[in-house]
Amino acid sequence: MGVRFDPDFAITAATQTSLLNAIAAYNATIGKPGVSKIEGGQNTQQLKALFKTAEAALANMDAAVEIVRLTQVNFYNGYQKARKVTVTGTGSISVKGLVTDASTGLPVKGVAVSFSLDSGAAKAKATDGKPVVVKSTGEKGRFNLNRLPAGMYAVTLQKNGFADQVTTIAVSDGELTKLNIQLARI
């Protein structure tokens, strides 16, 4: 049994061919010496418009499939399994930091950097104020933190000979948060 989509949802062989042609035209301009910035910019704008149209069409398809959820359970389940949504930023660095000495500007090695959920504002499950993650700065005063759940975090920096410092940062899914801190000597 085939499923028929209403033409109002705007996905046709012609729209798909148009999208493929725009992608091919864009790819043909990449890396060509002498291609003007204007032509490349025009192609980019065309692609943006086509992707926006494609996203709207997919949203319409999702809405149409919801209509048959109860009457066509197998189709609905198959569609949901086949429909992939890519989340960007997974597996990438969430927080990148640098800790330096406030008086000299030199990197500080061995600083304990603790991340704790800040007043339950994060998506991650509550940890009763206990650190979610503790990192230590490397030789050049740097640290990276991978895959930290989105939310607000209290970041505590501690090292003997320096005043403890606490700051708050916001971490968003798929986005890099940079944290540059200067520690004062005591």
Side-chain angles (χ1 to χ4, degrees):
M1 165 154 94
V3 175
R4 199 186 83 155
F5 288 102
D6 190 323
D8 292 338
F9 293 115
I11 294 184
T12 65
T15 60
Q16 296 303 300
T17 301
S18 177
L19 178 61
L20 288 173
N21 289 340
I23 292 170
Y26 180 78
N27 286 336
T29 65
I30 295 175
K32 272 188 178 176
V35 172
S36 73
K37 288 184 180 182
I38 294 172
E39 184 179 335
Q42 288 171 342
N43 287 337
T44 300
Q45 291 306 316
Q46 272 185 323
L47 274 178
K48 282 182 182 179
L50 288 169
F51 279 120
K52 191 177 280 191
T53 301
E55 287 173 7
L58 286 171
N60 287 336
M61 280 178 49
D62 291 344
V65 168
E66 284 299 319
I67 293 169
V68 299
R69 179 175 51 154
L70 297 176
T71 59
Q72 301 292 324
V73 175
N74 289 337
F75 171 77
Y76 177 81
N77 290 336
Y79 178 82
Q80 293 299 323
K81 287 179 184 175
R83 177 85 162 92
K84 302 277 187 216
V85 177
T86 303
V87 178
T88 59
T90 57
S92 64
I93 297 173
S94 296
V95 180
K96 185 176 190 174
L98 171 64
V99 181
T100 56
D101 184 321
S103 59
T104 65
L106 295 173
V108 182
K109 175 185 175 184
V111 176
V113 184
S114 304
F115 293 80
S116 301
L117 294 174
D118 189 30
S119 53
K123 289 182 190 175
K125 61 183 178 179
T127 59
D128 299 324
K130 296 177 186 170
V132 173
V133 177
V134 178
K135 293 294 258 181
S136 183
T137 58
E139 194 70 36
K140 296 181 180 178
R142 297 187 183 280
F143 66 91
N144 292 331
L145 190 57
N146 297 332
R147 292 181 229 105
L148 189 65
M152 296 296 293
Y153 289 86
V155 182
T156 305
L157 297 100
Q158 298 174 309
K159 175 155 174 92
N160 287 338
F162 291 88
D164 290 358
Q165 188 164 339
V166 178
T167 189
T168 302
I169 63 168
V171 175
S172 299
D173 285 331
E175 293 183 20
L176 175 64
T177 301
K178 293 184 180 180
L179 180 63
N180 295 322
I181 298 288
Q182 293 183 333
L183 293 181
R185 290 191 178 269
I186 50 173

